Coordinates of all heavy atoms in Angstrom, one line a residue:
M2 N -37.9 2.3 23.8 CA -36.7 3.0 23.6 C -37.1 4.5 23.3 O -37.8 4.7 22.3 CB -35.9 2.4 22.5 CG -34.6 3.1 22.2 SD -33.6 2.3 20.8 CE -33.3 0.7 21.3
P3 N -36.5 5.4 24.0 CA -36.8 6.8 23.7 C -36.3 7.2 22.3 O -35.3 6.6 21.8 CB -36.0 7.6 24.8 CG -35.7 6.6 25.9 CD -35.7 5.2 25.2
E4 N -37.0 8.2 21.8 CA -36.6 8.6 20.4 C -35.1 9.0 20.3 O -34.5 8.7 19.3 CB -37.5 9.7 19.9 CG -37.3 10.1 18.5 CD -38.3 11.2 18.1 OE1 -39.4 11.3 18.7 OE2 -38.0 11.8 17.0
S5 N -34.7 9.7 21.3 CA -33.3 10.2 21.3 C -32.3 9.0 21.2 O -31.3 9.1 20.5 CB -33.0 11.1 22.5 OG -33.2 10.4 23.7
V6 N -32.6 8.0 21.9 CA -31.7 6.8 21.9 C -31.9 6.0 20.6 O -30.9 5.6 20.0 CB -32.0 5.9 23.1 CG1 -31.2 4.6 23.1 CG2 -31.8 6.6 24.4
A7 N -33.1 5.9 20.1 CA -33.4 5.3 18.8 C -32.6 6.0 17.7 O -32.1 5.3 16.8 CB -34.9 5.3 18.5
N8 N -32.5 7.3 17.8 CA -31.8 8.1 16.8 C -30.3 7.8 16.8 O -29.6 7.7 15.8 CB -32.0 9.6 17.0 CG -33.4 10.0 16.5 OD1 -34.0 9.4 15.7 ND2 -33.8 11.2 17.1
L9 N -29.8 7.6 18.0 CA -28.3 7.2 18.2 C -28.1 5.9 17.5 O -27.1 5.7 16.8 CB -27.9 7.2 19.6 CG -27.8 8.6 20.3 CD1 -27.5 8.4 21.8 CD2 -26.7 9.4 19.7
F10 N -29.0 4.9 17.8 CA -28.8 3.6 17.2 C -29.0 3.7 15.7 O -28.2 3.0 14.9 CB -29.8 2.6 17.8 CG -29.3 2.0 19.1 CD1 -29.9 2.4 20.3 CD2 -28.3 1.0 19.1 CE1 -29.4 1.9 21.5 CE2 -27.9 0.5 20.3 CZ -28.4 0.9 21.5
L11 N -29.9 4.5 15.2 CA -30.1 4.6 13.7 C -28.8 5.1 13.1 O -28.3 4.5 12.1 CB -31.2 5.5 13.4 CG -31.5 5.8 11.9 CD1 -31.9 4.5 11.2 CD2 -32.6 6.9 11.8
L12 N -28.2 6.1 13.6 CA -27.0 6.7 13.1 C -25.8 5.7 13.2 O -25.0 5.5 12.3 CB -26.6 8.0 13.8 CG -27.5 9.2 13.6 CD1 -27.2 10.3 14.5 CD2 -27.5 9.6 12.1
L13 N -25.8 5.0 14.3 CA -24.7 4.0 14.5 C -24.8 2.9 13.5 O -23.8 2.4 13.0 CB -24.8 3.4 16.0 CG -23.7 2.6 16.5 CD1 -22.4 3.5 16.6 CD2 -24.0 2.0 17.8
E14 N -26.1 2.5 13.2 CA -26.3 1.4 12.1 C -25.7 1.9 10.8 O -25.3 1.1 10.0 CB -27.7 1.1 12.0 CG -28.2 0.3 13.2 CD -29.7 0.1 13.2 OE1 -30.4 0.5 12.2 OE2 -30.3 -0.6 14.1
L15 N -25.8 3.2 10.5 CA -25.4 3.7 9.2 C -23.8 3.7 9.1 O -23.3 3.6 8.0 CB -25.9 5.1 9.0 CG -27.4 5.2 8.9 CD1 -27.8 6.7 8.8 CD2 -27.9 4.6 7.6
V16 N -23.1 3.9 10.2 CA -21.7 4.1 10.1 C -20.8 3.1 10.8 O -19.6 3.2 10.7 CB -21.3 5.5 10.6 CG1 -22.0 6.6 9.8 CG2 -21.7 5.7 12.1
S17 N -21.4 2.1 11.4 CA -20.6 1.1 12.2 C -21.0 -0.3 11.7 O -22.0 -0.5 11.1 CB -20.9 1.2 13.7 OG -20.4 2.5 14.1
S18 N -20.2 -1.2 12.1 CA -20.4 -2.6 11.7 C -21.6 -3.2 12.5 O -21.9 -2.7 13.6 CB -19.2 -3.5 12.0 OG -18.9 -3.6 13.4
R19 N -22.1 -4.3 12.1 CA -23.2 -4.9 12.7 C -22.8 -5.4 14.1 O -23.6 -5.3 15.1 CB -23.7 -6.1 11.9 CG -24.7 -7.0 12.5 CD -26.0 -6.4 13.0 NE -26.7 -5.6 12.0 CZ -27.6 -4.7 12.4 NH1 -28.0 -4.5 13.6 NH2 -28.2 -3.9 11.4
D20 N -21.6 -5.9 14.3 CA -21.1 -6.3 15.6 C -21.1 -5.2 16.6 O -21.5 -5.4 17.8 CB -19.7 -6.9 15.5 CG -19.7 -8.2 14.7 OD1 -20.7 -8.8 14.6 OD2 -18.6 -8.6 14.2
V21 N -20.7 -4.0 16.2 CA -20.7 -2.9 17.1 C -22.1 -2.5 17.5 O -22.4 -2.3 18.7 CB -19.9 -1.7 16.4 CG1 -20.1 -0.4 17.3 CG2 -18.5 -2.0 16.2
V22 N -23.0 -2.4 16.6 CA -24.4 -2.1 16.9 C -25.0 -3.1 17.8 O -25.6 -2.8 18.8 CB -25.2 -2.0 15.6 CG1 -26.7 -1.7 15.9 CG2 -24.7 -0.9 14.7
D23 N -24.8 -4.4 17.5 CA -25.3 -5.5 18.4 C -24.8 -5.4 19.8 O -25.5 -5.6 20.7 CB -25.0 -6.8 17.7 CG -25.8 -7.1 16.5 OD1 -26.8 -6.4 16.2 OD2 -25.5 -8.0 15.7
T24 N -23.5 -5.1 19.9 CA -22.9 -4.9 21.3 C -23.6 -3.8 22.0 O -24.0 -4.0 23.2 CB -21.4 -4.7 21.2 OG1 -20.8 -5.8 20.5 CG2 -20.8 -4.5 22.5
F25 N -23.7 -2.7 21.4 CA -24.4 -1.5 22.1 C -25.9 -1.8 22.4 O -26.4 -1.5 23.4 CB -24.2 -0.2 21.4 CG -22.8 0.4 21.6 CD1 -21.9 0.4 20.5 CD2 -22.5 0.9 22.8 CE1 -20.6 0.9 20.7 CE2 -21.2 1.4 23.0 CZ -20.3 1.4 22.0
R26 N -26.5 -2.5 21.4 CA -27.9 -2.8 21.6 C -28.1 -3.8 22.8 O -29.0 -3.7 23.7 CB -28.5 -3.4 20.4 CG -30.1 -3.5 20.4 CD -30.6 -3.9 19.0 NE -30.3 -3.0 17.9 CZ -30.9 -1.8 17.6 NH1 -31.8 -1.4 18.4 NH2 -30.5 -1.1 16.6
S27 N -27.2 -4.8 22.9 CA -27.2 -5.7 24.0 C -27.0 -5.0 25.4 O -27.7 -5.3 26.4 CB -26.2 -6.8 23.9 OG -26.5 -7.6 22.8
D28 N -26.0 -4.1 25.3 CA -25.7 -3.3 26.6 C -26.9 -2.5 26.9 O -27.3 -2.3 28.1 CB -24.5 -2.4 26.3 CG -23.2 -3.2 26.2 OD1 -23.2 -4.4 26.6 OD2 -22.2 -2.5 25.8
Y29 N -27.6 -1.9 25.9 CA -28.8 -1.1 26.2 C -29.9 -2.0 26.9 O -30.5 -1.6 27.9 CB -29.3 -0.4 24.9 CG -30.6 0.3 25.2 CD1 -30.6 1.6 25.7 CD2 -31.9 -0.2 24.8 CE1 -31.8 2.3 25.9 CE2 -33.0 0.4 25.1 CZ -33.0 1.7 25.6 OH -34.2 2.4 25.8
Q30 N -30.1 -3.1 26.3 CA -31.2 -4.0 26.8 C -30.8 -4.5 28.2 O -31.7 -4.8 29.0 CB -31.4 -5.2 25.8 CG -32.0 -4.7 24.5 CD -32.1 -5.7 23.4 OE1 -31.4 -6.8 23.5 NE2 -32.8 -5.5 22.4
A31 N -29.6 -4.7 28.5 CA -29.1 -5.2 29.8 C -29.1 -4.0 30.8 O -28.9 -4.3 32.0 CB -27.8 -5.8 29.7
G32 N -29.2 -2.8 30.3 CA -29.1 -1.7 31.2 C -27.7 -1.3 31.6 O -27.5 -0.6 32.6
T33 N -26.7 -1.8 30.8 CA -25.3 -1.5 31.2 C -24.6 -0.6 30.1 O -23.4 -0.5 30.1 CB -24.5 -2.8 31.3 OG1 -24.6 -3.5 30.0 CG2 -25.1 -3.7 32.4
I34 N -25.4 0.0 29.3 CA -24.9 0.8 28.2 C -24.1 2.0 28.8 O -24.6 2.6 29.7 CB -26.0 1.2 27.2 CG1 -25.3 1.8 25.9 CG2 -26.9 2.2 27.8 CD1 -26.2 2.0 24.8
R35 N -23.0 2.3 28.1 CA -22.3 3.6 28.5 C -22.4 4.5 27.3 O -21.8 4.3 26.2 CB -20.8 3.2 28.8 CG -20.7 2.3 30.0 CD -19.3 1.9 30.2 NE -18.4 3.1 30.1 CZ -17.4 3.4 31.0 NH1 -17.3 2.7 32.0 NH2 -16.7 4.5 30.8
Y36 N -23.3 5.5 27.4 CA -23.6 6.4 26.3 C -22.4 7.1 25.8 O -22.3 7.4 24.6 CB -24.7 7.3 26.6 CG -26.1 6.6 26.7 CD1 -26.6 6.3 28.0 CD2 -26.7 6.2 25.6 CE1 -27.9 5.7 28.1 CE2 -28.0 5.6 25.7 CZ -28.5 5.3 26.9 OH -29.7 4.7 27.0
G37 N -21.5 7.4 26.7 CA -20.3 8.1 26.3 C -19.5 7.3 25.3 O -19.0 7.8 24.3
D38 N -19.4 6.0 25.6 CA -18.7 5.1 24.7 C -19.4 4.9 23.4 O -18.8 4.9 22.3 CB -18.5 3.7 25.3 CG -17.6 3.7 26.5 OD1 -16.8 4.6 26.7 OD2 -17.6 2.7 27.3
M39 N -20.7 4.9 23.4 CA -21.5 4.8 22.2 C -21.3 6.1 21.3 O -21.2 6.0 20.1 CB -23.0 4.6 22.5 CG -23.9 4.4 21.4 SD -25.6 4.2 21.9 CE -26.4 4.0 20.4
K40 N -21.4 7.2 22.0 CA -21.2 8.4 21.2 C -19.8 8.6 20.6 O -19.7 9.1 19.5 CB -21.6 9.6 22.1 CG -23.1 9.7 22.4 CD -23.4 10.9 23.4 CE -24.8 10.9 23.7 NZ -25.1 12.1 24.6
K41 N -18.8 8.1 21.4 CA -17.5 8.1 20.9 C -17.4 7.2 19.6 O -16.8 7.6 18.6 CB -16.5 7.7 21.9 CG -15.0 7.7 21.5 CD -14.1 7.3 22.6 CE -12.7 7.2 22.0 NZ -11.7 6.7 23.0
E42 N -17.9 6.0 19.7 CA -17.9 5.1 18.5 C -18.7 5.7 17.4 O -18.3 5.6 16.2 CB -18.6 3.8 18.9 CG -18.7 2.8 17.8 CD -17.3 2.4 17.2 OE1 -16.4 2.2 17.9 OE2 -17.3 2.2 16.0
L43 N -19.8 6.4 17.7 CA -20.6 7.0 16.6 C -19.8 8.2 16.0 O -19.8 8.3 14.7 CB -21.9 7.6 17.2 CG -22.8 8.4 16.3 CD1 -23.2 7.5 15.1 CD2 -24.0 8.9 17.0
A44 N -19.1 9.0 16.8 CA -18.3 10.0 16.2 C -17.2 9.5 15.3 O -16.9 10.0 14.2 CB -17.7 10.9 17.3
E45 N -16.5 8.5 15.8 CA -15.4 7.8 15.0 C -16.0 7.2 13.7 O -15.4 7.3 12.6 CB -14.7 6.8 15.8 CG -13.9 7.4 16.9 CD -13.3 6.4 17.9 OE1 -13.7 5.1 17.8 OE2 -12.6 6.7 18.8
G46 N -17.2 6.6 13.8 CA -17.8 6.0 12.6 C -18.2 7.1 11.6 O -18.0 6.9 10.4
M47 N -18.7 8.2 12.1 CA -19.1 9.3 11.2 C -17.8 9.9 10.5 O -17.9 10.2 9.3 CB -19.8 10.4 12.0 CG -21.1 10.0 12.5 SD -22.2 11.2 11.9 CE -23.8 10.6 12.2
V48 N -16.7 10.0 11.2 CA -15.5 10.5 10.6 C -15.1 9.5 9.5 O -14.7 10.0 8.4 CB -14.4 10.7 11.7 CG1 -13.0 10.9 11.0 CG2 -14.7 11.8 12.6
R49 N -15.1 8.2 9.8 CA -14.8 7.2 8.7 C -15.7 7.3 7.5 O -15.3 7.2 6.4 CB -14.8 5.8 9.3 CG -13.6 5.5 10.2 CD -13.6 4.0 10.6 NE -14.9 3.5 11.1 CZ -15.2 3.5 12.4 NH1 -14.3 3.9 13.3 NH2 -16.3 3.0 12.9
F50 N -17.0 7.5 7.8 CA -18.0 7.5 6.8 C -17.9 8.7 5.9 O -18.0 8.5 4.6 CB -19.4 7.6 7.5 CG -20.6 7.5 6.5 CD1 -21.0 6.3 5.9 CD2 -21.3 8.7 6.2 CE1 -22.0 6.3 5.1 CE2 -22.3 8.6 5.3 CZ -22.7 7.4 4.8
I51 N -17.6 9.9 6.4 CA -17.5 11.1 5.6 C -16.1 11.3 5.0 O -15.9 12.2 4.2 CB -18.0 12.3 6.3 CG1 -17.1 12.7 7.5 CG2 -19.4 12.2 6.6 CD1 -17.4 14.0 8.0
A52 N -15.1 10.5 5.4 CA -13.7 10.7 4.9 C -13.6 10.7 3.4 O -13.0 11.6 2.9 CB -12.8 9.6 5.5
P53 N -14.2 9.8 2.7 CA -14.1 9.9 1.2 C -14.8 11.2 0.6 O -14.2 11.7 -0.3 CB -14.9 8.7 0.7 CG -15.0 7.7 1.8 CD -14.9 8.6 3.1
I54 N -15.8 11.6 1.2 CA -16.5 12.9 0.8 C -15.5 14.0 1.0 O -15.4 14.9 0.2 CB -17.8 13.1 1.5 CG1 -18.8 11.9 1.2 CG2 -18.4 14.4 1.1 CD1 -20.0 11.8 2.0
R55 N -14.9 14.1 2.2 CA -14.0 15.1 2.6 C -12.8 15.1 1.6 O -12.4 16.2 1.2 CB -13.5 15.0 4.0 CG -12.6 16.1 4.5 CD -12.1 15.9 5.9 NE -13.2 16.1 6.8 CZ -13.5 15.3 7.8 NH1 -12.8 14.2 8.0 NH2 -14.5 15.6 8.6
E56 N -12.3 14.0 1.3 CA -11.1 13.9 0.4 C -11.5 14.4 -1.0 O -10.7 15.1 -1.6 CB -10.6 12.4 0.3 CG -10.0 12.0 1.6 CD -9.7 10.5 1.7 OE1 -9.9 9.8 0.6 OE2 -9.3 10.0 2.7
K57 N -12.7 14.0 -1.5 CA -13.1 14.5 -2.8 C -13.3 16.0 -2.8 O -12.9 16.6 -3.8 CB -14.4 13.8 -3.2 CG -14.9 14.1 -4.6 CD -13.9 13.7 -5.6 CE -14.5 13.9 -7.0 NZ -13.5 13.6 -8.1
A58 N -13.9 16.5 -1.8 CA -14.1 18.0 -1.7 C -12.7 18.7 -1.7 O -12.6 19.7 -2.3 CB -14.9 18.3 -0.4
E59 N -11.8 18.1 -1.0 CA -10.4 18.7 -0.9 C -9.8 18.7 -2.3 O -9.1 19.7 -2.7 CB -9.6 18.0 0.1 CG -8.2 18.6 0.4 CD -8.4 20.0 1.0 OE1 -9.4 20.3 1.7 OE2 -7.4 20.8 0.8
Q60 N -9.9 17.6 -3.0 CA -9.4 17.5 -4.4 C -10.0 18.6 -5.3 O -9.3 19.2 -6.0 CB -9.6 16.1 -5.0 CG -8.8 15.0 -4.4 CD -9.3 13.6 -5.0 OE1 -10.3 13.5 -5.6 NE2 -8.5 12.6 -4.7
I61 N -11.3 18.7 -5.2 CA -12.0 19.7 -6.0 C -11.5 21.1 -5.6 O -11.2 22.0 -6.5 CB -13.5 19.6 -5.9 CG1 -13.9 18.3 -6.5 CG2 -14.2 20.8 -6.5 CD1 -15.4 17.9 -6.3
R62 N -11.4 21.4 -4.3 CA -11.0 22.7 -3.8 C -9.6 23.0 -4.3 O -9.3 24.2 -4.5 CB -11.0 22.7 -2.3 CG -11.5 24.0 -1.7 CD -11.6 24.0 -0.2 NE -11.3 22.8 0.6 CZ -12.3 22.0 1.0 NH1 -13.5 22.3 0.8 NH2 -12.0 20.9 1.7
N63 N -8.7 22.1 -4.5 CA -7.3 22.3 -4.9 C -7.1 22.3 -6.4 O -6.0 22.5 -6.9 CB -6.4 21.3 -4.2 CG -6.3 21.5 -2.7 OD1 -6.4 22.6 -2.2 ND2 -6.2 20.4 -2.0
D64 N -8.2 22.0 -7.1 CA -8.1 21.9 -8.6 C -8.6 23.2 -9.2 O -9.8 23.3 -9.6 CB -8.9 20.7 -9.1 CG -8.7 20.5 -10.6 OD1 -8.1 21.4 -11.3 OD2 -9.0 19.4 -11.1
G65 N -7.8 24.2 -9.3 CA -8.2 25.6 -9.8 C -8.7 25.5 -11.2 O -9.7 26.2 -11.5
A66 N -8.2 24.7 -12.1 CA -8.6 24.7 -13.4 C -10.1 24.1 -13.5 O -10.9 24.6 -14.2 CB -7.7 23.8 -14.3
Y67 N -10.3 23.1 -12.7 CA -11.7 22.5 -12.7 C -12.7 23.5 -12.1 O -13.8 23.7 -12.7 CB -11.7 21.2 -11.8 CG -13.1 20.6 -11.6 CD1 -13.7 20.0 -12.7 CD2 -13.7 20.8 -10.4 CE1 -15.0 19.4 -12.5 CE2 -15.0 20.3 -10.3 CZ -15.6 19.6 -11.3 OH -16.9 19.1 -11.1
L68 N -12.3 24.2 -11.0 CA -13.2 25.2 -10.5 C -13.5 26.3 -11.4 O -14.6 26.8 -11.6 CB -12.6 25.7 -9.2 CG -12.6 24.8 -8.0 CD1 -11.8 25.4 -6.8 CD2 -14.0 24.4 -7.6
R69 N -12.5 26.8 -12.1 CA -12.7 27.8 -13.1 C -13.6 27.4 -14.2 O -14.5 28.1 -14.6 CB -11.3 28.2 -13.7 CG -11.2 29.6 -14.1 CD -9.8 30.1 -14.5 NE -8.7 29.1 -14.4 CZ -7.9 28.9 -13.3 NH1 -8.2 29.6 -12.2 NH2 -7.0 28.1 -13.2
K70 N -13.4 26.1 -14.7 CA -14.3 25.6 -15.7 C -15.7 25.5 -15.3 O -16.7 25.9 -16.0 CB -13.8 24.2 -16.1 CG -14.6 23.5 -17.1 CD -14.1 22.1 -17.4 CE -15.2 21.2 -18.0 NZ -14.7 19.8 -18.0
V71 N -16.0 25.0 -14.1 CA -17.3 24.9 -13.5 C -17.9 26.3 -13.4 O -19.1 26.5 -13.7 CB -17.3 24.2 -12.2 CG1 -18.6 24.3 -11.4 CG2 -16.9 22.7 -12.4
M72 N -17.2 27.3 -12.9 CA -17.7 28.6 -12.7 C -18.0 29.3 -14.1 O -19.1 29.9 -14.2 CB -16.7 29.5 -12.0 CG -16.7 29.2 -10.5 SD -15.7 30.3 -9.5 CE -14.1 30.0 -10.0
E73 N -17.2 29.0 -15.1 CA -17.5 29.6 -16.4 C -18.7 28.9 -17.0 O -19.5 29.6 -17.6 CB -16.3 29.4 -17.3 CG -15.1 30.3 -17.0 CD -13.8 29.9 -17.7 OE1 -13.8 28.9 -18.5 OE2 -12.8 30.6 -17.5
Q74 N -18.9 27.6 -16.8 CA -20.1 27.0 -17.3 C -21.3 27.5 -16.6 O -22.4 27.7 -17.2 CB -20.0 25.5 -17.2 CG -19.0 24.8 -18.1 CD -18.7 23.3 -17.8 OE1 -19.1 22.8 -16.7 NE2 -18.2 22.6 -18.8
G75 N -21.2 27.7 -15.3 CA -22.3 28.2 -14.5 C -22.7 29.6 -14.9 O -23.9 29.9 -15.0
A76 N -21.7 30.4 -15.2 CA -21.9 31.8 -15.6 C -22.6 31.8 -17.0 O -23.5 32.6 -17.2 CB -20.6 32.6 -15.6
A77 N -22.2 30.9 -17.9 CA -22.8 30.9 -19.2 C -24.3 30.5 -19.1 O -25.2 31.1 -19.7 CB -22.1 29.9 -20.1
K78 N -24.6 29.5 -18.3 CA -26.0 29.1 -18.1 C -26.8 30.2 -17.4 O -27.9 30.4 -17.8 CB -26.0 27.8 -17.2 CG -25.6 26.6 -17.8 CD -25.7 25.4 -16.9 CE -25.2 24.1 -17.6 NZ -25.3 22.9 -16.6
A79 N -26.2 30.9 -16.5 CA -26.9 32.0 -15.8 C -27.2 33.1 -16.8 O -28.3 33.7 -16.8 CB -26.1 32.5 -14.6
R80 N -26.2 33.4 -17.7 CA -26.4 34.5 -18.7 C -27.6 34.1 -19.6 O -28.4 34.9 -20.0 CB -25.1 34.8 -19.4 CG -24.2 35.7 -18.7 CD -23.1 36.2 -19.7 NE -22.2 35.1 -20.0 CZ -21.1 34.7 -19.3 NH1 -20.9 35.2 -18.1 NH2 -20.4 33.7 -19.7
A81 N -27.6 32.9 -20.1 CA -28.6 32.4 -21.0 C -30.0 32.5 -20.3 O -31.0 33.0 -20.9 CB -28.3 31.0 -21.4
S82 N -30.1 32.0 -19.1 CA -31.3 32.1 -18.3 C -31.8 33.5 -18.1 O -32.9 33.9 -18.2 CB -31.2 31.4 -17.0 OG -32.4 31.5 -16.2
A83 N -30.8 34.4 -17.7 CA -31.1 35.8 -17.5 C -31.6 36.5 -18.8 O -32.5 37.3 -18.7 CB -29.9 36.5 -16.9
A84 N -31.0 36.1 -19.9 CA -31.4 36.7 -21.2 C -32.9 36.4 -21.5 O -33.6 37.3 -21.9 CB -30.5 36.2 -22.3
V85 N -33.3 35.2 -21.2 CA -34.7 34.8 -21.5 C -35.6 35.5 -20.5 O -36.6 36.1 -21.0 CB -34.8 33.2 -21.3 CG1 -36.3 32.8 -21.2 CG2 -34.1 32.5 -22.3
T86 N -35.2 35.6 -19.2 CA -36.0 36.3 -18.3 C -36.1 37.8 -18.6 O -37.2 38.4 -18.6 CB -35.4 36.2 -16.9 OG1 -35.4 34.8 -16.6 CG2 -36.3 36.8 -15.8
L87 N -35.0 38.4 -19.0 CA -35.0 39.8 -19.4 C -35.9 40.0 -20.6 O -36.7 41.0 -20.7 CB -33.6 40.3 -19.7 CG -33.4 41.7 -20.0 CD1 -33.9 42.6 -18.9 CD2 -32.0 42.0 -20.3
Q88 N -35.9 39.1 -21.6 CA -36.7 39.3 -22.8 C -38.2 39.2 -22.4 O -39.0 39.9 -22.9 CB -36.3 38.3 -23.9 CG -37.1 38.5 -25.2 CD -36.8 39.9 -25.7 OE1 -35.6 40.3 -25.9 NE2 -37.9 40.6 -26.1
L89 N -38.5 38.3 -21.5 CA -39.9 38.1 -21.1 C -40.4 39.4 -20.4 O -41.5 39.8 -20.6 CB -40.0 36.9 -20.1 CG -39.9 35.5 -20.8 CD1 -39.9 34.4 -19.7 CD2 -41.1 35.3 -21.7
A90 N -39.5 40.0 -19.6 CA -39.8 41.2 -18.9 C -40.0 42.4 -19.8 O -41.0 43.1 -19.7 CB -38.8 41.5 -17.8
K91 N -39.1 42.4 -20.8 CA -39.3 43.5 -21.9 C -40.6 43.3 -22.6 O -41.3 44.3 -22.9 CB -38.1 43.5 -22.8 CG -36.8 44.0 -22.2 CD -35.7 43.9 -23.2 CE -34.4 44.5 -22.7 NZ -33.3 44.4 -23.7
D92 N -40.9 42.1 -23.0 CA -42.1 41.8 -23.7 C -43.3 42.2 -22.9 O -44.3 42.8 -23.4 CB -42.2 40.3 -24.1 CG -41.2 39.9 -25.2 OD1 -40.6 40.8 -25.8 OD2 -41.0 38.7 -25.3
A93 N -43.3 41.9 -21.6 CA -44.4 42.2 -20.7 C -44.7 43.7 -20.5 O -45.8 44.1 -20.4 CB -44.2 41.5 -19.3
I94 N -43.6 44.5 -20.5 CA -43.8 45.9 -20.3 C -43.7 46.7 -21.6 O -43.8 47.9 -21.6 CB -42.8 46.5 -19.3 CG1 -41.4 46.3 -19.7 CG2 -43.1 45.9 -17.9 CD1 -40.4 47.0 -18.7
G95 N -43.5 46.0 -22.8 CA -43.5 46.7 -24.1 C -42.2 47.4 -24.4 O -42.3 48.4 -25.1
L96 N -41.1 46.9 -24.0 CA -39.8 47.5 -24.4 C -39.2 46.7 -25.4 O -38.1 46.2 -25.3 CB -38.9 47.6 -23.1 CG -39.3 48.5 -22.0 CD1 -38.4 48.4 -20.8 CD2 -39.3 49.9 -22.5
N97 N -39.8 46.5 -26.6 CA -39.3 45.8 -27.7 C -38.8 46.7 -28.8 O -39.5 47.0 -29.8 CB -40.3 44.8 -28.2 CG -40.7 43.7 -27.2 OD1 -39.8 43.2 -26.5 ND2 -41.9 43.4 -27.1
Y98 N -37.7 47.3 -28.6 CA -37.2 48.2 -29.6 C -36.5 47.6 -30.8 O -36.3 48.1 -31.8 CB -36.2 49.2 -28.9 CG -36.8 50.0 -27.8 CD1 -36.4 49.9 -26.5 CD2 -37.9 50.9 -28.1 CE1 -36.9 50.6 -25.5 CE2 -38.5 51.6 -27.0 CZ -38.0 51.5 -25.8 OH -38.6 52.2 -24.8
F99 N -36.0 46.3 -30.6 CA -35.3 45.7 -31.6 C -36.0 44.4 -32.1 O -36.5 43.6 -31.5 CB -33.9 45.2 -31.1 CG -33.1 46.4 -30.6 CD1 -33.1 46.7 -29.2 CD2 -32.4 47.2 -31.5 CE1 -32.3 47.7 -28.7 CE2 -31.6 48.2 -30.9 CZ -31.6 48.5 -29.6

């Protein structure tokens, strides 16, 4: 089985039922596979597979308070890290006035 076809089957196994994979594998072995149908099933399976992720991302995107909180926490961490780095740089070049 060529690598490109093996990759299609690998992806199909991740997002489709065993019956669907077995049907396409049988068609491949019999030489009757219709790659267009397989790719269509793969695309539909991928959409189903990522639907919960997409929904969660949409919820987060629409939650302004949560996003603001995350950005504020990230900014606080970045300021703390930057302060340490800045102090190390000042120490390295001898700018310790305080």
Side-chain angles (χ1 to χ4, degrees):
M2 178 182 299
E4 187 176 340
S5 57
V6 175
N8 287 338
L9 288 174
F10 277 105
L11 176 64
L12 292 171
L13 194 65
E14 288 173 1
L15 293 172
V16 298
S17 297
S18 69
R19 173 56 51 198
D20 292 341
V21 170
V22 175
D23 289 345
T24 298
F25 282 109
R26 196 173 300 278
S27 294
D28 290 348
Y29 176 80
Q30 291 170 347
T33 60
I34 192 167
R35 295 175 49 129
Y36 288 104
D38 292 343
M39 182 181 183
K40 289 178 181 181
K41 182 179 177 186
E42 177 63 36
L43 178 58
E45 291 170 357
M47 291 235 168
V48 168
R49 284 188 307 268
F50 183 77
I51 65 169
I54 298 167
R55 181 181 291 131
E56 290 169 7
K57 183 64 176 175
E59 188 64 27
Q60 288 174 349
I61 291 170
R62 216 179 356 262
N63 292 327
D64 188 347
Y67 174 75
L68 289 175
R69 210 170 359 272
K70 177 182 157 190
V71 169
M72 287 190 292
E73 288 169 358
Q74 289 174 341
K78 286 181 183 180
R80 277 191 292 276
S82 176
V85 170
T86 303
L87 184 58
Q88 187 58 51
L89 288 172
K91 285 180 178 181
D92 291 346
I94 61 174
L96 292 175
N97 295 320
Y98 300 118
F99 305 96

